[in-house]
Amino acid sequence: MMAKTQGLQAPRNDGYVYVASPFTHPNPDVMEWRYFAALKYTQELLGQLNWAFTPIGHCYVMAKLYNLGHEHEFWLQYDKIMIDNAAGMHVLCIDGWKQSTGVQWEIEYWTRTRPKLPIAYFTPDDEWLAGVRTKFK
């Protein structure tokens, strides 16, 4: 099942959509599942030729392999540059998104600095959630 967002199609030729999703959690298995959920959502957009960037999907493995760390301030600097150049924002509303400091910062920053550009929220159903892979195959 493909992701369907409310209120926004990703821009095909006008740039990329920034995909905000929760990540940090005390349980590393939850963090890894959130990584795979971000990948699933982003690959669905890319599969439709809708360009997208997800900081979790693009940086988690690199940060883990090369010990970039998980310091919030480091990632905020990176996220800010990517948000500043995005044509739209999608929020992946999986468990923890409302409590996520990062996601709430991304939404606040987007609405404050890019108020005329679209933002959409994707709340996956059980079928979509069941399709999140949890291992590389």
Side-chain angles (χ1 to χ4, degrees):
M1 171 181 235
M2 297 298 270
K4 292 183 182 168
T5 59
Q6 298 175 5
L8 175 66
Q9 287 296 320
R12 288 180 186 258
N13 295 317
D14 297 329
Y16 61 90
V17 165
Y18 181 97
V19 178
S21 62
F23 181 63
T24 303
H25 191 276
N27 183 337
D29 291 340
V30 171
M31 288 175 64
E32 190 141 308
W33 184 89
R34 289 175 174 179
Y35 163 73
F36 282 105
L39 288 184
K40 176 178 170 55
Y41 184 74
T42 304
Q43 69 82 26
E44 290 178 1
L45 292 173
L46 294 173
Q48 299 168 36
L49 300 180
N50 293 310
W51 312 128
F53 170 81
T54 170
I56 304 308
H58 286 92
C59 298
Y60 170 66
V61 171
M62 179 174 44
K64 196 170 180 175
L65 287 173
Y66 299 105
N67 199 27
L68 283 175
H70 296 286
E71 294 78 25
H72 188 66
E73 289 301 317
F74 173 86
W75 293 111
L76 284 182
Q77 292 176 51
Y78 182 67
D79 293 346
K80 184 175 181 247
I81 294 295
M82 300 310 292
I83 289 170
D84 287 346
N85 292 287
M89 177 183 276
H90 285 201
V91 179
L92 180 55
C93 302
I94 56 176
D95 188 45
W97 79 274
K98 287 183 180 178
Q99 299 80 20
S100 169
T101 303
V103 171
Q104 295 311 309
W105 179 87
E106 289 162 326
I107 293 169
E108 185 279 326
Y109 183 76
W110 181 270
T111 55
R112 181 170 42 84
T113 63
R114 307 182 64 76
K116 294 183 180 182
L117 292 176
I119 185 170
Y121 296 83
F122 171 65
T123 303
D125 61 20
D126 290 341
E127 181 183 354
W128 191 94
L129 292 169
V132 174
R133 288 186 180 181
T134 56
K135 295 186 184 334
F136 289 108
K137 293 182 181 182

